[in-house]
Amino acid sequence: MRLSQFHLRTSKETPADAEIASHRLMLKAGMIRKLAAGLYTWSPLGLRVLRKVERVVREEMNAAGAIELLMPSIQPRELWEETGRWEKFGGQLLKIKDRKEAEYAYGPTHEEVITDFARAELASYKQLPVTYYQIQTKFRDEIRPRFGVMRAREFLMKDAYSFHLTDEDLAREYRNMYDAYGRIFTRLGLKFRAVFADTGAIGGSASHEFHVLADSGEDAIAFSSATDYAANVELAEALAPGKRAAATETMRRIDTPTQKTCEDVAALMGIELARTVKSIALMGVDAENNPQFVLALVRGDHVANEIKLAKLPGLAEYRLATEAEILEHLGSEPGFLGPVGVKPSVQVVADRAVAAMVDFVVGANERGAHLAGVNWGRDLPEPVLVADLRNVVEGDPSPDGHGTLGIARGIEVGHVFQLGRKYAQAMGCTVLDETGKAATPAMGCYGIGVSRIVAAAIEQNHDANGILWPESMAPWRAAVCVINPKNDAGVAEAAEALYRELNAAGIETVLDDRGLRPGVMFGDIELIGIPHRIVVSERGLAAGTFEYRHRAAAEAEQLSRADVIARLQATQPA
Amino acid sequence: MRLSQFHLRTSKETPADAEIASHRLMLKAGMIRKLAAGLYTWSPLGLRVLRKVERVVREEMNAAGAIELLMPSIQPRELWEETGRWEKFGGQLLKIKDRKEAEYAYGPTHEEVITDFARAELASYKQLPVTYYQIQTKFRDEIRPRFGVMRAREFLMKDAYSFHLTDEDLAREYRNMYDAYGRIFTRLGLKFRAVFADTGAIGGSASHEFHVLADSGEDAIAFSSATDYAANVELAEALAPGKRAAATETMRRIDTPTQKTCEDVAALMGIELARTVKSIALMGVDAENNPQFVLALVRGDHVANEIKLAKLPGLAEYRLATEAEILEHLGSEPGFLGPVGVKPSVQVVADRAVAAMVDFVVGANERGAHLAGVNWGRDLPEPVLVADLRNVVEGDPSPDGHGTLGIARGIEVGHVFQLGRKYAQAMGCTVLDETGKAATPAMGCYGIGVSRIVAAAIEQNHDANGILWPESMAPWRAAVCVINPKNDAGVAEAAEALYRELNAAGIETVLDDRGLRPGVMFGDIELIGIPHRIVVSERGLAAGTFEYRHRAAAEAEQLSRADVIARLQATQPA
């Protein structure tokens, strides 16, 4: 492609409403243009990248044995009624009436349609296992579309659905898809993690999310330093620490006239925050379903985890206690609470880390006072209820027993689910099994946000000057830039020849023949993230070299024609 | 691909609601499955064909210099208000409200969106000419969706839009796209015609339709035997015949007691229908806008053309005359009307062919009577108004002066328009011209019904046993069929080897390893239209041959491995 015959329109201005780097850079590079809230046109430049992602996804899905089909974007209400999702899916479902007042939705996902297809097309266990997929436009009516294509309303997705006679077959295909996803993100050149995930709204029994790692990611991920274990921070288990050490201090009262937080108390005392204990007053129910006051203890430097708290007996629907309830049960106002000397009606629950502490600091249940040097079994009874109540932190042992946890931020770009028989059952999808009896197949579903990957890749790969595309996603791998193409020294011809030679060698190359000033031209090529830049100039020609620079390199090099080609061939993606 | 690992589900039953061959065969072959009215899932088999068409269209559009982008399917009402089409487009526009009650349409076409893109992205004449295209899902809310994907509501379309500073540039690009369309349909292996067309609802100054020829086509097309002239029958001009011959008969009265039509009169008299003249009584207006009775004359074997009639002075909004009006002006009841001896208040208009007739037969304006041997200038005045009033017929001279006309039926699969400045003007899209002044660009638009081509190709290429795909559209070009794969004679291995060899040679081949009985297997392969079938059997292996049969051939042949490969390579599409 010659840039003079392409549509490239970069912008120097930083768009006002773009909050994250990918949104900003996609607008500045002219990859997308906003049509309306959450609706974007992919410009010729943007579409080249989108198609690269699509191609890798398609090739790996095919290689994994999945079969491509194409379902309509518009789906009849009746199917969604069968699974109860017409109401349950919520406001993200864009509902539509046609000219005959029949109701439809613009598909945000296709479980209903594929299950309808399967119940008509699958008759026998001999047709199983089977995995269908499509790459198709979807719509979710986000309340607040933002971040460009990262959270657009109309977006491109790969969604796959598998059907199995047995749970073992489902588990096998789940692993197969899991592995294919790994190959996809590896081929795309992205740093990613597969994390254990909550199944959320789609439901089912097992699921992993695939996250592209980026500092701007919405999700915090805990991952093992030694294995491929990874989980959402909220879901990762904090293991019990080693045995409790021996007490060395006696319990004493500390005046804390205005110190109501662990941070303030630790600062006042000049001790580590990890020596303090936070007491959180909650209201749950007891075994007889009567209100139960609970004091949950986590270490001062830890964060209590709401999901884990809610798993404790009686706390499924807990709430924070009111000041009046706290006063009634502990005789104190908030800010000075603690587990020492509490009434039997107060249920104390200790995080595993707290249960292993010695010589710790807690509130004294008295305004302006804390207790230091507190020890279990001596100053208060050994905790009866000990559980994992907190978010993991960097350095915690990995729950799989290998290595320690690191924390990274991630952008969810893929999701694999074991759906089980929920949809097939609701929609009466059966096949005949080996004995001739109708059997409900188990299903898996496997999604990849194709358009979202483009934005996530930029979040992971950019600098102050623009995008740094991985080789496999770049609109072109190389740019041949012509300095002063209209002079007589033959630079235009030399550039043209190199451009042709590179493309003939299978290296997708663009020729910047726009005749712009070098600074403007280089700025564009950097902004749009072409990995390899080759400058053809009169001076270089005289010396028999081209100026080569990798997008991530600090300096340019002078290379011969053969070396340029060798350098590019060496980095050719699969 | 191995069929055992593919999803193929053919059906012996003829679907009840499928009115045309392509709909019937696509359902029987399992290419599509209906989800709801006008909404179809493309099965893995169907999608393979759809993607073949898409690929050819994309390659030729790229080769023609068009630049691909991707616009959203959902478009905001505001843009359609700017061109007035929110109301004018009619019921086919699927209107949608989002959760915030903002209004959108599912795009049936993208003139508004591309013009919005252009007014933002095009600043200077230096960026022109430019042609953008996309291949994308569209929706038209047809009142009566039918014929499967031939007239579906959701469908796949290639739409292109060009922008130009001058009308000459537009005309040049129009020709460029016209030529590209020719290459597309030629590569797809389809018999087609580009026909002059009425611009219809989209508006503009010049347009051609591209029709795939098929007996079941909705449109009748007149085409020259000598040139590439083609037009809708309704629009093709019927040229004036040569000079009128000399009269040989005298006028005489014929008793036609019950003969009210030209056919009946000709039969009674034993003469050719072409000797009779049909008199059609119409009501238009005169120069003062008063009602005017008109008698339009066409030859008995010709069909009057409503579009041409309406172009006559005073007939822009004509209607058929009532019996009372006929009685008032001609003194007769219908069935016996004619131009002889009429009052001056009757305006007679003769078709060019009628004006050249001698010794013809007309009604006598008297119940039960016609006149024969009638001649202009003797029995009635020479016609004052002579015009082209009829549809052309097979054998008419071609309006371009070369050859004679044939008539064929066609299915519209493409359309190119010169839109002019209508949309750019309405939406305030301008660029700066060479003098720095704002200029409104001229636009062209160019559509291809990608999914419709699949159905049209079947209408053109099928027989009693199923589809006969052109080489470039077939889901696979060749099928290797294994007879009795589980025996010990090595047929499975030989088939596998041939299958691999063909694919390695770039011949897309499917292996039918399903182990079905030969009749069932061959039936499937014929139904789904694979052009080349190679049967691997124990007997063939013993003789060192494979049974080869082209889908269109009456008989199979025994060929060596090398000959099979040579045969397939010789028919390899571009």
Side-chain angles (χ1 to χ4, degrees), chain A residues 225-279:
Chain A
S225 60
T227 66
D228 67 355
Y229 171 86
N232 265 308
V233 159
E234 286 75 18
L235 297 177
E237 186 183 1
L239 298 182
K243 272 185 69 172
R244 192 192 295 161
T248 62
E249 302 179 7
T250 53
M251 185 165 80
R252 63 197 188 276
R253 189 177 174 287
I254 310 282
D255 275 340
T256 53
T258 60
Q259 286 73 21
K260 293 184 169 191
T261 64
C262 288
E263 285 77 4
D264 290 346
V265 173
L268 177 76
M269 294 177 65
I271 59 170
E272 282 181 12
L273 190 54
R275 300 277 306 280
T276 66
V277 169
K278 209 169 346 188
S279 299

Side-chain angles (χ1 to χ4, degrees), chain B residues 31-335:
Chain B
M31 289 179 62
I32 53 171
R33 175 163 289 280
K34 183 175 174 179
L35 176 65
L39 300 176
Y40 291 88
T41 292
W42 289 78
S43 80
L45 181 71
L47 185 62
R48 288 187 72 92
V49 179
L50 188 66
R51 293 277 188 244
K52 298 273 161 93
V53 178
E54 190 180 330
R55 191 173 67 88
V56 169
V57 170
R58 176 172 288 119
E59 287 177 0
E60 292 298 335
M61 289 305 287
N62 290 344
I67 308 171
E68 189 174 4
L69 45 61
L70 184 63
M71 294 176 269
S73 65
I74 300 296
Q75 313 180 356
R77 169 176 177 155
E78 290 71 25
L79 283 188
W80 285 70
E81 294 281 10
E82 288 189 48
T83 60
R85 291 211 295 180
W86 182 258
E87 294 305 331
K88 268 193 293 189
F89 201 88
Q92 286 200 335
L93 191 67
L94 183 69
K95 296 177 178 177
I96 299 170
K97 277 189 188 160
D98 73 3
R99 67 197 297 166
K100 291 169 182 161
E101 298 287 309
E103 289 191 272
Y104 296 86
Y106 197 128
T109 177
H110 277 71
E111 281 82 7
E112 280 80 2
V113 179
I114 197 70
T115 307
D116 179 59
F117 181 83
R119 69 183 167 186
E121 301 252 334
L122 298 179
S124 157
Y125 75 96
K126 291 180 192 164
Q127 293 172 274
L128 305 184
V130 65
T131 301
Y132 305 108
Y133 79 98
Q134 63 175 350
I135 297 178
Q136 203 241 28
T137 304
K138 297 211 167 353
F139 198 97
R140 290 193 191 188
D141 199 2
E142 299 280 354
I143 290 188
R144 203 184 153 202
R146 59 198 291 215
F147 305 145
V149 299
M150 187 76 89
R151 202 189 291 164
R153 295 199 290 173
E154 188 173 325
F155 55 98
L156 192 66
M157 191 159 165
K158 187 284 299 175
D159 46 328
Y161 307 90
S162 68
F163 294 84
H164 310 276
L165 199 60
T166 67
D167 292 346
E168 294 68 38
D169 282 354
L170 168 57
R172 195 178 306 117
E173 180 62 9
Y174 182 82
R175 182 74 213 184
N176 179 39
M177 284 293 121
Y178 180 100
D179 292 342
Y181 275 37
R183 287 191 295 270
I184 287 168
F185 297 115
T186 301
R187 266 187 71 183
L188 290 173
L190 298 172
K191 292 184 282 293
F192 70 97
R193 287 275 176 178
V195 308
F196 288 125
D198 200 88
T199 51
I202 299 195
S205 53
S207 96
H208 280 86
E209 292 172 0
F210 285 78
H211 285 257
V212 166
L213 303 182
D215 293 342
S216 60
E218 283 188 304
D219 297 290
I221 298 159
F223 60 93
S224 163
S225 60
T227 66
D228 68 353
Y229 172 86
N232 265 308
V233 159
E234 286 76 18
L235 297 177
E237 186 183 0
L239 297 183
K243 272 183 73 172
R244 192 191 296 160
T248 62
E249 301 178 10
T250 54
M251 185 167 80
R252 63 193 188 278
R253 190 178 175 286
I254 309 281
D255 274 341
T256 52
T258 60
Q259 285 74 21
K260 294 183 168 189
T261 65
C262 289
E263 286 78 4
D264 291 345
V265 173
L268 176 77
M269 295 177 63
I271 59 169
E272 282 181 13
L273 190 54
R275 300 275 306 279
T276 66
V277 170
K278 208 169 345 188
S279 299
I280 306 165
L282 307 173
M283 290 304 295
V285 293
D286 65 12
E288 276 79 44
N289 229 15
N290 296 315
Q292 170 69 53
F293 185 86
V294 176
L295 202 61
L297 308 179
V298 296
R299 221 167 68 182
D301 60 331
H302 284 158
V303 173
N305 178 306
E306 296 180 9
I307 300 166
K308 293 175 177 177
L309 280 174
K311 285 182 180 163
L312 292 179
L315 292 189
E317 295 177 33
Y318 79 87
R319 60 171 173 81
L320 293 177
T322 62
E323 286 206 31
E325 287 163 345
I326 292 172
L327 194 64
E328 177 195 342
H329 289 280
L330 297 178
S332 167
E333 68 176 273

Side-chain angles (χ1 to χ4, degrees), chain A residues 5-7 9 32-37 39-44 47 50-51 58 65 67-76 79 91-92 94-100 104 106 113 116-117 120-123 127 130 132 135-137 139 141-145 153-154, chain B residues 5-7 9 32-37 39-44 47 50-51 58 65 67-76 79 91-92 94-100 104 106 113 116-117 120-123 127 130 132 135-137 139 141-145 153-154:
Chain A
Q5 285 159 45
F6 190 70
H7 177 95
R9 188 170 164 87
I32 53 172
R33 175 164 289 278
K34 184 174 172 177
L35 176 64
L39 301 176
Y40 291 89
T41 292
W42 289 79
S43 79
L47 185 62
L50 188 67
R51 293 278 188 243
R58 176 172 288 118
I67 308 171
E68 189 174 3
L69 46 59
L70 184 63
M71 293 177 270
S73 66
I74 299 297
Q75 312 180 356
L79 283 187
Q92 286 200 336
L94 183 69
K95 295 177 178 176
I96 299 170
K97 277 189 190 161
D98 73 3
R99 65 195 300 164
K100 291 170 182 160
Y104 296 86
Y106 196 127
V113 179
D116 178 59
F117 181 82
E121 302 253 335
L122 298 179
Q127 294 172 273
V130 64
Y132 306 107
I135 297 178
Q136 203 240 28
T137 303
F139 199 98
D141 200 1
E142 299 281 355
I143 290 189
R144 203 185 152 200
R153 295 198 290 173
E154 187 172 326
Chain B
Q5 286 161 44
F6 191 69
H7 176 95
R9 188 169 163 87
I32 53 171
R33 175 163 289 280
K34 183 175 174 179
L35 176 65
L39 300 176
Y40 291 88
T41 292
W42 289 78
S43 80
L47 185 62
L50 188 66
R51 293 277 188 244
R58 176 172 288 119
I67 308 171
E68 189 174 4
L69 45 61
L70 184 63
M71 294 176 269
S73 65
I74 300 296
Q75 313 180 356
L79 283 188
Q92 286 200 335
L94 183 69
K95 296 177 178 177
I96 299 170
K97 277 189 188 160
D98 73 3
R99 67 197 297 166
K100 291 169 182 161
Y104 296 86
Y106 197 128
V113 179
D116 179 59
F117 181 83
E121 301 252 334
L122 298 179
Q127 293 172 274
V130 65
Y132 305 108
I135 297 178
Q136 203 241 28
T137 304
F139 198 97
D141 199 2
E142 299 280 354
I143 290 188
R144 203 184 153 202
R153 295 199 290 173
E154 188 173 325

Side-chain angles (χ1 to χ4, degrees), chain B residues 399-421:
Chain B
D400 70 347
H402 303 286
T404 56
L405 289 180
I407 307 283
R409 298 204 73 83
I411 300 163
E412 186 192 335
V413 290
H415 208 153
V416 291
F417 293 97
Q418 292 189 30
L419 289 176
R421 292 177 171 77

Side-chain angles (χ1 to χ4, degrees), chain B residues 280-553:
Chain B
I280 306 165
L282 307 173
M283 290 304 295
V285 293
D286 65 12
E288 276 79 44
N289 229 15
N290 296 315
Q292 170 69 53
F293 185 86
V294 176
L295 202 61
L297 308 179
V298 296
R299 221 167 68 182
D301 60 331
H302 284 158
V303 173
N305 178 306
E306 296 180 9
I307 300 166
K308 293 175 177 177
L309 280 174
K311 285 182 180 163
L312 292 179
L315 292 189
E317 295 177 33
Y318 79 87
R319 60 171 173 81
L320 293 177
T322 62
E323 286 206 31
E325 287 163 345
I326 292 172
L327 194 64
E328 177 195 342
H329 289 280
L330 297 178
S332 167
E333 68 176 273
F336 308 98
L337 308 182
V340 178
V342 296
K343 294 187 270 189
S345 70
V346 174
Q347 169 149 35
V348 174
V349 189
D351 178 63
R352 288 166 171 171
V354 173
M357 289 171 78
V358 292
D359 307 328
F360 51 95
V361 176
V362 296
N365 293 324
E366 178 192 338
R367 184 195 178 102
H370 278 74
L371 300 171
V374 179
N375 281 282
W376 294 108
R378 184 190 73 183
D379 307 320
L380 76 172
E382 284 291 342
V384 178
L385 249 165
V386 177
D388 173 20
L389 302 185
R390 65 171 176 98
N391 285 345
V392 292
V393 295
E394 192 109 25
D396 274 344
S398 178
D400 70 347
H402 303 286
T404 56
L405 289 180
I407 307 283
R409 298 204 73 83
I411 300 163
E412 186 192 335
V413 290
H415 208 153
V416 291
F417 293 97
Q418 292 189 30
L419 289 176
R421 292 177 171 77
K422 178 178 152 165
Y423 289 93
Q425 213 135 40
M427 296 183 64
C429 172
T430 61
V431 298
L432 296 182
D433 68 11
E434 294 93 331
T435 68
K437 271 195 302 214
T440 302
M443 290 172 61
C445 85
Y446 318 93
I448 286 184
V450 177
S451 44
R452 191 166 224 235
I453 285 175
V454 176
I458 296 175
E459 291 296 331
Q460 187 178 86
N461 301 281
H462 68 274
D463 63 16
N465 296 329
I467 303 164
L468 290 86
W469 289 116
E471 300 280 346
S472 56
M473 290 178 67
W476 299 276
R477 291 188 57 230
V480 171
C481 296
V482 198
I483 304 289
N484 205 358
K486 286 184 181 155
N487 78 355
D488 294 330
V491 288
E493 294 73 13
E496 172 82 21
L498 181 65
Y499 157 72
R500 284 174 179 275
E501 191 172 9
L502 289 172
N503 277 304
I507 298 154
E508 216 177 6
T509 303
V510 69
L511 178 67
D512 193 342
D513 57 346
R514 294 175 297 166
L516 300 179
R517 285 182 294 111
V520 177
M521 176 164 56
F522 296 165
D524 276 355
I525 298 301
E526 288 196 346
L527 174 59
I528 70 175
I530 310 299
H532 307 274
R533 188 186 78 192
I534 303 123
V535 180
V536 184
S537 66
E538 193 174 343
R539 205 174 45 173
L541 282 187
T545 59
F546 297 103
E547 183 194 291
Y548 166 85
R549 186 178 159 193
H550 188 274
R551 176 67 179 79

